[in-house]
């Protein structure tokens, strides 16, 4: 395991756990999510059947990924769109940056896209002089604060209205007309409206790529996705190759399930399908439409029979919201684009050499993530697989020796008894010498946050001898 | 495009090699249980869902009442430009518009930044979610998103039970359009402390004038 991401993770997690304001903010937001989702699920006559259906749709898409991607590509091209296949983040950045440069693009509006975060697109575009505006309100807030998104669905979940008002006062004072949420939203609307109407390029992600229709499905509540894909003369949609689904009719299940798992809504306000640039006879819409299909490690994940189910993820964020670890440490502690359980299983597989293996251990293995996943990804199992892979990769000899020793000890009652006696004596001596809990204590990584075990006055065997037969 | 993008072949080759084992990603659970409850009265459900998602619905009995409803909506709007999908019904309604207002028609281009309200038709209405099925054929792509108020006219015959039925309409009639969408209420956000605020970037107000089937 690379130590830098691990140490950073531990530092940030420790800091966030001790930040009571942060924890209260997250708790309040997630409590509100819990209530909405519980209510949303009641709209289904069988939520579990809906999960199974979505899981089957995504599994089918992944099993025939090549066929569906080619079908999608063909349909987009029929309507005059362009499809670019990008093997790496660099390839995708170069294509989009090149496009912007060759078309003289100065202003770009973006609707929320985790893939653009994954490939660090905004920085690359800004480097060549373009002004890039995040238009989802949460994304806009974190952009103003120069922070990465905190959550897949709600990027500014960690901030209070007071903090957001302070950011707006500093960054967009001329738009401010009050500090309550409606006034803050209005300030962002005023500011971003100018960007929408002056942008030459709009960049969006995609929730799904519909193979048989050749359309990109985008869900937003604010309408920023609609404006981003309508007003600029160039629209670029970028997404991972795993976002494909076979049929338009699949959205009849996927749209409500995504909305319910993500926010508790019956359906997202704008459930949008974009199939190409402005068509002959249409009033408006972009002159150019480009779809960038990003691999960036996904085909590698697909090649692993054990891990490929991760590609079913629809990025609803449900596993983050239910994760007891995420609820304490928040999204920034992970140091990854995708946070929480899905980020912990996905990141080390998408980026095997980036040193994020430790994230598999940032879990209590309570299985809440697996139960919440609307496409039935077995996240607890994936976390265990990643733990196994991490151990194999790093070969932590200390842990291995300990477990071998334990196995050898546990296989003989005599050895088990002797080891128990030695452990009791060891703990008592360490306490007597004042080593327990100090830097010399070999158990310090455990005991610095927890109380060490009290040494019992009587062993279980001794207790059994006197009480067992009664 | 394929020829100019060798990465396409490499990605597809990797995908084919990866899926050649034909191992299903999940065991087929194949639950055939109905996912959504049946909707016995689509119109009643549509009205209920619209009330929940904050879409205003004005039910009318005939074209006279619809025109009167449109007048009331027009009078409630702040001064400024209006945009209409260029259809006979709106041509007739627009004759009542105050002459101080600028009126734009979809045949003359998209709505401008300062448009106060847009008036369009719809391809259908979805009872399950209180949604409007729209497309770029309904006055263009911007007609349903640019202005603070979006007014939609349709008839009760256009109400379909669920999203599946709406997608069937899209599949049969709308695949030539560059945009198809379901609009389920006004633009909104809850990005600040999960407090719902209407009118984030799109219309603050969505009105459906729903005329009884003749």
């Amino acid at each position: 395991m690379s130590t830098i991401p691990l140490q950073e993770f531990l530092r940030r997690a420790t800091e966030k756990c001790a930040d009571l304001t942060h924890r209260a903010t997250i708790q309040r937001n997630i409590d509100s999510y819990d209530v909405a989702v519980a209510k949303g699920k009641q709209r289904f006559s069988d939520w579990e059947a809906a999960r199974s259906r979505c899981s089957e749709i995504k599994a089918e898409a992944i099993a025939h990924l090549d066929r569906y991607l080619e079908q999608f590509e063909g349909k987009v091209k029929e309507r005059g769109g362009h499809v670019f296949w990008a093997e790496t983040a660099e390839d995708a950045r170069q294509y989009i940056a090149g496009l912007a440069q060759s078309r003289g693009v100065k202003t770009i509006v973006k609707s929320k896209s985790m893939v653009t975060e994954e490939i660090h697109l905004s920085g690359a575009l800004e480097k060549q002089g373009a002004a890039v505006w995040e238009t989802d309100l949460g994304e806009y807030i974190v952009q103003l604060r120069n922070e990465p998104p905190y959550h897949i669905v709600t990027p500014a979940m960690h901030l209070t209205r007071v903090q957001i008002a302070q950011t707006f006062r500093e960054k967009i004072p001329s738009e401010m007309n009050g500090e309550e949420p409606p006034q803050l939203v209005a300030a962002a609307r005023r500011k971003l409206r100018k960007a929408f109407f002056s942008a030459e390029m709009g960049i969006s992600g995609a929730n799904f790529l519909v193979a048989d229709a050749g359309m990109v499905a985008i869900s937003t509540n604010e309408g920023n996705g609609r404006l981003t894909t309508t007003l600029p003369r160039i629209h670029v949609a970028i997404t991972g190759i795993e976002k494909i689904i076979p049929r338009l009719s699949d959205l009849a299940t996927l749209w409500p399930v995504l909305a319910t798992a993500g926010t508790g809504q019956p359906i997202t306000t704008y459930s949008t399908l974009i199939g190409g640039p402005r068509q002959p006879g249409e009033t408006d819409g972009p002159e150019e439409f480009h779809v960038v299909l990003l691999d960036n490690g996904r085909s590698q994940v697909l090649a692993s029979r054990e891990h490929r189910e991760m590609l079913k993820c629809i990025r609803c964020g449900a596993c983050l919201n239910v994760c007891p670890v995420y609820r304490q440490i928040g999204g920034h502690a992970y140091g990854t684009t995708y946070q929480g359980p899905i980020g912990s299983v996905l990141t080390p597989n998408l980026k095997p050499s980036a040193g994020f293996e430790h994230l598999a251990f940032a879990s209590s293995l309570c299985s809440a993530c697996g139960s919440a996943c609307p496409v039935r990804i077995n996240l607890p199992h994936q976390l265990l697989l990643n733990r196994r892979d991490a151990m194999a990769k790093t070969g932590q000899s200390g842990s291995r020796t300990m477990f071998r020793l334990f196995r050898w000890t546990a296989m003989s009652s005599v050895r088990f008894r002797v080891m128990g006696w030695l452990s009791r004596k060891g703990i008592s001596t360490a306490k007597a010498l004042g080593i327990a809990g100090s830097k010399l204590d070999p158990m310090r990584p455990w005991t610095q946050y927890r109380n060490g075990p009290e040494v019992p006055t009587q062993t279980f065997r001794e207790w059994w001898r006197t009480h067992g037969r009664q | 495009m394929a020829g100019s993008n060798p990465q396409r072949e490499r990605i597809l080759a990797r995908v084919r090699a990866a899926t050649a084992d034909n191992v299903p990603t999940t065991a087929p659970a194949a639950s055939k249980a109905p996912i959504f409850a049946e909707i016995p009265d689509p119109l009643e459900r549509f009205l209920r869902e619209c009330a929940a998602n904050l879409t205003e619905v004005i039910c009318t009995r005939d074209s006279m009442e619809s025109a009167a409803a449109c007048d009331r909506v027009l009078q409630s709007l702040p001064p400024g430009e209006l945009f209409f999908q260029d259809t006979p019904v709106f041509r007739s309604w627009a004759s009542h518009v105050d002459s101080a207002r600028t009126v734009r028609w979809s045949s003359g281009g998209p709505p401008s930044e300062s448009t106060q309200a847009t008036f369009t038709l719809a391809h259908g209405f979805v009872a399950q979610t209180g949604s409007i099925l729209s497309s770029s054929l309904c006055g263009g792509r911007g007609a349903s998103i640019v202005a603070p108020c979006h007014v939609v006219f349709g008839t009760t015959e256009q109400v379909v039970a669920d999203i599946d039925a709406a997608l069937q309409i899209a599949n049969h009639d709308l695949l030539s359009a560059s945009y198809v969408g379901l609009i389920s209420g006004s633009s909104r956000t809850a990005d600040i402390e999960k407090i719902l605020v209407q009118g984030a970037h799109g219309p603050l107000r969505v009105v459906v004038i729903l005329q009884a089937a003749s």
Side-chain angles (χ1 to χ4, degrees):
Chain A
M1 267 180 243
S2 166
T3 54
I4 295 169
L6 169 61
Q7 285 166 359
E8 264 303 289
F9 171 75
L10 291 173
R11 187 187 63 74
R12 288 187 192 138
T14 308
E15 199 178 285
K16 287 298 173 192
C17 280
D19 183 344
L20 298 182
T21 311
H22 170 263
R23 282 171 61 177
T25 308
I26 298 310
Q27 194 62 48
R28 190 175 52 245
N29 281 325
I30 293 183
D31 283 350
S32 141
Y33 165 86
D34 288 343
V35 171
V37 170
K39 201 173 155 194
K41 284 180 185 172
Q42 288 171 8
R43 297 174 60 91
F44 291 77
S45 58
D46 191 337
W47 171 249
E48 293 307 316
R51 290 177 70 207
S52 297
R53 179 75 195 115
C54 291
S55 179
E56 286 165 18
I57 293 166
K58 290 295 291 184
E60 182 194 346
I62 289 162
H64 307 288
L65 197 55
D66 56 334
R67 188 212 302 167
Y68 290 128
L69 284 169
E70 286 185 293
Q71 188 183 8
F72 170 81
E73 179 191 40
K75 296 274 180 184
V76 170
K77 285 179 172 179
E78 275 173 26
R79 286 198 206 86
H82 305 277
V83 178
F84 180 79
W85 301 65
E87 281 186 296
T88 64
E90 178 58 25
D91 295 332
R93 280 195 302 266
Q94 271 184 13
Y95 179 77
I96 299 169
L99 196 64
Q101 202 157 35
S102 66
R103 307 296 195 271
V105 170
K106 299 282 176 224
T107 306
I108 297 169
V109 283
K110 275 183 73 228
S111 70
K112 198 162 82 61
S113 152
M114 293 310 291
V115 164
T116 60
E117 296 293 333
E118 177 186 329
I119 66 167
H120 305 291
L121 180 62
S122 296
L125 294 167
E126 281 164 350
K127 246 184 209 167
Q128 65 180 41
V132 181
W133 296 83
E134 292 289 350
T135 61
D136 170 83
L137 179 62
E139 286 278 352
Y140 180 56
I141 293 165
V142 294
Q143 184 188 32
L144 289 178
R145 294 171 63 89
N146 204 21
E147 288 177 359
Y150 183 87
H151 186 282
I152 293 173
V153 175
T154 40
M157 185 204 249
H158 58 305
L159 299 171
T160 62
R161 73 182 84 178
V162 176
Q163 290 169 306
I164 295 166
Q166 193 182 336
T167 302
F168 279 19
R169 270 200 309 274
E170 286 166 15
K171 305 285 184 176
I172 51 168
S174 59
E175 306 294 345
M176 288 289 279
N177 191 21
E179 304 201 342
E180 287 304 302
Q183 294 153 336
L184 295 171
V185 172
R189 177 182 170 117
R190 281 191 292 274
K191 189 74 184 172
L192 291 171
R193 210 161 163 82
K194 293 168 199 160
F196 279 125
F197 279 89
S198 61
E200 301 95 353
M201 179 182 273
I203 299 176
S204 74
N207 295 93
F208 305 104
L209 303 169
V210 187
D212 70 347
M215 294 182 120
V216 172
I218 303 168
S219 299
T220 69
N221 280 310
E222 298 178 6
N224 60 312
R226 291 282 321 280
L227 290 167
T228 299
T229 59
T230 295
L231 297 175
R233 60 183 158 82
I234 305 162
H235 171 207
V236 180
I238 172 165
T239 196
I241 52 174
E242 81 285 11
K243 291 292 181 74
I244 202 91
I245 57 168
R247 296 160 294 269
L248 192 63
S249 58
D250 293 330
L251 290 172
T253 315
L254 285 165
W255 267 343
V257 165
L258 172 65
T260 301
T263 60
Q265 289 173 278
I267 190 167
T268 312
T269 307
Y270 298 101
S271 299
T272 301
L273 292 158
I274 304 287
R278 178 193 309 182
Q279 297 298 290
E282 288 188 347
T283 309
D284 55 2
E287 294 155 19
E288 287 185 49
F289 175 58
H290 299 256
V291 181
V292 179
L293 299 174
L294 180 71
D295 182 339
N296 205 29
R298 286 159 176 81
S299 55
Q300 219 169 288
V301 176
L302 185 69
S304 160
R305 287 185 188 192
E306 287 180 333
H307 291 305
R308 71 174 57 143
E309 70 162 332
M310 283 188 258
L311 298 177
K312 291 194 297 181
C313 178
I314 55 172
R315 308 283 192 269
C316 66
C319 61
L320 282 65
N321 297 331
V322 298
C323 175
V325 174
Y326 184 91
R327 282 175 178 233
Q328 301 306 315
I329 67 173
H332 287 158
Y334 291 84
T336 53
T337 304
Y338 307 103
Q339 316 87 357
I342 188 63
S344 297
V345 298
L346 201 54
T347 312
N349 289 287
L350 285 179
K351 297 173 159 184
S353 53
F356 287 106
E357 294 84 4
H358 60 274
L359 293 180
F361 300 88
S363 163
S364 64
L365 294 179
C366 67
S367 292
C369 50
S371 304
C373 178
V375 288
R376 294 194 184 281
I377 300 172
N378 191 342
L379 286 160
H381 181 62
Q382 291 296 331
L383 285 162
L384 283 173
L385 291 174
N386 276 13
R387 286 186 182 191
R388 180 204 62 192
D389 295 346
M391 296 307 287
K393 193 170 171 183
T394 56
Q396 292 212 342
S397 52
S399 304
R400 280 177 184 222
T401 309
M402 289 277 283
F403 276 104
R404 280 190 187 141
L405 183 63
F406 176 76
R407 188 175 63 176
W408 178 78
T409 305
M411 286 171 76
S412 149
S413 67
V414 175
R415 288 197 293 263
F416 194 81
R417 202 180 307 172
V418 171
M419 195 56 79
W421 181 85
L422 280 172
S423 301
R424 287 195 300 280
K425 289 295 167 198
I427 293 170
S428 305
T429 310
K431 282 194 171 175
L433 294 174
I435 294 170
S438 75
K439 286 186 178 172
L440 295 172
D441 184 355
M443 295 299 287
R444 186 172 159 78
W446 176 265
T447 55
Q448 77 180 122
Y449 300 113
R450 304 168 185 87
N451 292 326
E454 287 298 321
V455 179
T457 51
Q458 194 180 30
T459 68
F460 176 74
R461 284 167 192 271
E462 288 162 353
W463 180 89
W464 185 255
R465 255 181 250 127
T466 48
H467 296 89
R469 293 192 187 112
Q470 288 171 13
Chain B
M1 202 69 186
S4 64
N5 185 195
Q7 299 177 67
R8 175 188 189 274
E9 297 314 316
R10 291 200 291 269
I11 293 171
L12 282 172
R14 280 200 298 274
V15 167
R16 285 185 190 120
T19 52
D21 57 16
N22 288 321
V23 173
T25 306
T26 51
S31 167
K32 297 295 173 210
I35 290 168
F36 300 103
E38 211 175 302
I39 299 171
D41 183 347
L43 180 58
E44 180 276 331
R45 174 72 178 266
F46 177 71
L47 297 176
R48 189 151 44 92
E49 293 297 332
C50 285
N53 72 27
L54 308 173
T55 299
E56 293 173 41
V57 184
I58 305 171
C59 292
T60 60
R61 282 175 296 190
D62 51 35
S63 55
M64 294 278 282
E65 279 192 17
S66 299
C70 178
D71 273 351
R72 287 198 301 278
V73 174
L74 283 168
Q75 278 160 26
S76 70
L77 296 171
E81 200 171 300
L82 301 175
F83 175 91
F84 289 89
Q85 181 180 345
D86 201 344
T87 63
V89 65
F90 290 134
R91 283 277 172 189
S92 140
W93 291 1
S95 60
H96 302 161
V97 172
D98 182 348
S99 58
R101 285 185 190 271
T102 305
V103 172
R104 274 176 193 266
W105 293 95
S106 60
S107 50
S112 71
E113 188 180 350
S114 58
T115 303
Q116 283 302 319
T118 55
F119 292 74
T120 71
L121 301 179
H123 300 291
F125 301 98
V126 185
Q128 181 189 353
T129 48
S131 309
I132 299 159
L133 175 62
S134 183
S135 85
S136 41
L137 309 177
C138 297
R141 282 161 74 155
S144 54
I145 193 68
V146 162
C149 177
H150 179 207
V151 183
V152 181
F153 173 65
T155 66
T156 51
E157 280 168 327
Q158 291 180 282
V159 177
V160 297
D162 52 24
I163 300 170
D164 195 37
L167 290 170
Q168 282 177 36
I169 296 173
N171 216 358
H172 290 137
D173 306 334
L174 306 176
L175 288 186
S176 63
S178 66
Y179 152 73
V180 178
L182 292 179
I183 300 169
S184 312
S186 55
S187 154
R188 62 198 56 199
T189 182
D191 273 353
I192 302 175
E193 293 186 358
K194 290 273 173 197
I195 295 163
L196 183 71
V197 178
Q198 282 183 272
H201 293 296
L204 177 69
R205 186 179 173 204
V206 177
V207 183
V208 175
I209 299 174
L210 191 63
Q211 186 176 301
S214 54

